[in-house]
């Protein structure tokens, strides 16, 4: 309906989660285009079309502004404070599934007990041409963002030809496989593909080396979310919307 938009998840200062959708990210002014771990300010309105409790939409996209950034100084101290201390960290997937079914939760921090593997599957290589045409030709009545020229001039980004997933166990020993929808995994694949001169197998192995071999050395956490389509109906509606490979806390030597 709104063309190319993004869904942004984040935490408030009290540690509660919020989902902002839709955001026409590539159509924002340059100073509004935020990075991961930026602090944002924006008036939000509870979504009437999406029943998930965290979902809101901006009341006025022109008011959205970046007001700060959480860096990695002092062993990621600030990110650790807001995302692992202020926000609740979950260890049992069954509890999260129950919370989603009751519509009490659709975003969460999750700590796997053991990461078993990082895998990929081949996916469709092209966007649905009919849906692209419908998006470009949609009647502009009720256009949320107040402008229409983008429909004819915007560039379609390449479609990721593979889907990625983590296999892991939780605190109960339950083994699961969840798809990784983190945009950074896709960006890494395209970067590796260019460096590998188009060799897809090499690019995929390099993505796995990052997400499995390298991240296994960290205190790896997942940011989980549910999709609106499967929130109430899937046996397990959760997917990995972000990966948080935070360094282990350093133990200070006492003299």
């Amino acid at each position: 309906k709104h063309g190319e938009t993004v869904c942004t998840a984040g935490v408030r200062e009290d540690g509660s989660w919020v989902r902002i959708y839709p955001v026409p990210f590539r159509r924002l002014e340059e100073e509004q285009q935020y990075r991961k771990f930026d602090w944002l300010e924006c008036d939000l309105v509870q979504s009437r079309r999406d029943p998930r409790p965290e979902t809101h939409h901006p009341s006025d996209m022109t008011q959205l502004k970046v007001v700060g950034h959480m860096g990695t100084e002092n062993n990621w101290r600030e990110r650790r404070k807001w995302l692992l201390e202020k926000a609740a960290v979950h260890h049992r997937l069954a509890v999260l599934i129950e919370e989603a079914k009751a519509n009490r939760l659709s975003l969460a921090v999750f700590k796997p007990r053991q990461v078993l593997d990082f895998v990929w599957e081949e996916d469709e290589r092209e966007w649905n041409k009919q849906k692209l045409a419908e998006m470009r030709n949609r009647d502009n009545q009720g256009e949320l963002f107040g402008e229409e020229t983008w429909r004819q001039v915007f560039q379609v980004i390449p479609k990721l030809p593979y889907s990625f997933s983590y296999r892991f166990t939780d605190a109960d020993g339950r083994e699961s496989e969840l798809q990784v929808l983190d945009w950074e995994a896709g960006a890494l694949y395209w970067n590796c593909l260019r460096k590998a001169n188009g060799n897809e197998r090499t690019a995929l192995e390099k993505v796995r080396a990052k997400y499995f071999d390298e991240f296994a050395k960290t205190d790896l956490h997942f940011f989980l979310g549910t999709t609106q389509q499967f929130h109430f109906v899937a046996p397990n509606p959760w997917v990995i919307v972000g990966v948080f490979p935070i360094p282990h806390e350093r133990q200070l030597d006492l003299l």
Side-chain angles (χ1 to χ4, degrees), residues 7 9 20 39 75 79 123 127 132 136 142 145-146 157-158 172 174 176 181 189 194 210 220 227 240 254:
C7 179
I20 308 174
W39 282 109
N75 201 37
R79 296 182 184 182
D123 204 348
W127 298 110
L132 285 176
R136 290 187 187 277
F145 307 115
I157 60 174
D172 292 331
R174 172 179 179 155
S176 302
L181 298 185
Y189 170 78
R194 284 191 290 270
K210 179 81 170 182
L220 184 62
T227 60
I240 299 171
L254 298 178

Side-chain angles (χ1 to χ4, degrees), residues 33-221:
Q33 292 190 354
Y34 46 86
R35 298 178 293 159
K36 194 173 182 180
F37 300 113
D38 274 351
W39 282 109
L40 307 179
E41 282 187 1
C42 185
D43 290 333
L44 300 175
V45 178
Q46 184 81 39
S47 176
R48 290 179 294 179
R49 296 186 176 184
D50 184 344
R52 293 174 295 176
E54 297 91 347
T55 305
H56 297 69
H57 64 82
S59 61
D60 182 354
M61 278 304 310
T62 63
Q63 295 179 353
L64 186 147
K65 59 182 178 180
V66 179
V67 296
H69 181 75
M70 286 191 290
T72 58
E73 298 82 5
N74 299 316
N75 201 37
W76 295 35
R77 180 178 179 180
E78 192 175 5
R79 296 182 184 182
R80 193 183 307 276
K81 171 186 175 182
W82 296 107
L83 297 167
L84 300 185
E85 297 173 11
K86 287 281 188 176
V89 178
H90 297 263
H91 298 83
R92 300 174 58 223
L93 205 55
V95 173
L96 286 177
I97 293 172
E98 181 180 339
E99 291 290 288
K101 295 293 185 183
N103 200 33
R104 289 190 293 262
L105 205 62
S106 68
L107 287 167
V109 184
F110 177 79
K111 170 63 177 174
R113 185 175 74 175
Q114 181 181 8
V115 176
L116 304 174
D117 206 354
F118 180 85
V119 298
W120 63 78
E121 292 184 12
E122 192 162 2
D123 204 348
E124 295 291 333
R125 291 181 173 264
E126 301 294 335
W127 298 110
N128 185 303
K129 292 182 179 179
Q130 180 179 349
K131 288 185 177 181
L132 285 176
E134 290 175 354
M135 183 182 67
R136 290 187 187 277
N137 297 326
R138 177 178 286 275
D139 190 294
N140 66 4
Q141 292 183 1
E143 170 63 23
L144 182 62
F145 307 115
E147 48 87 10
E148 273 289 313
T149 56
W150 67 270
R151 292 191 186 275
Q152 302 303 323
V153 301
F154 89 106
Q155 298 294 312
V156 179
I157 60 174
K159 186 179 184 302
L160 190 66
Y162 294 91
S163 63
F164 301 109
S165 299
Y166 269 114
R167 292 175 182 162
F168 59 90
T169 59
D170 69 357
D172 292 331
R174 172 179 179 155
E175 186 172 329
S176 302
E177 180 175 324
L178 293 186
Q179 188 175 0
V180 178
L181 298 185
D182 184 3
W183 65 269
E184 289 183 333
L188 178 61
Y189 170 78
W190 293 121
N191 288 336
C192 292
L193 187 66
R194 284 191 290 270
K195 293 179 180 178
N197 296 317
N199 187 312
E200 294 189 356
R201 181 72 187 191
T202 299
L204 291 166
E205 292 289 357
K206 287 185 178 297
V207 173
R208 186 180 186 278
K210 179 81 170 182
Y211 274 74
F212 186 64
D213 300 330
E214 184 176 332
F215 287 175
K217 301 173 185 178
T218 71
D219 187 15
L220 184 62
H221 289 69

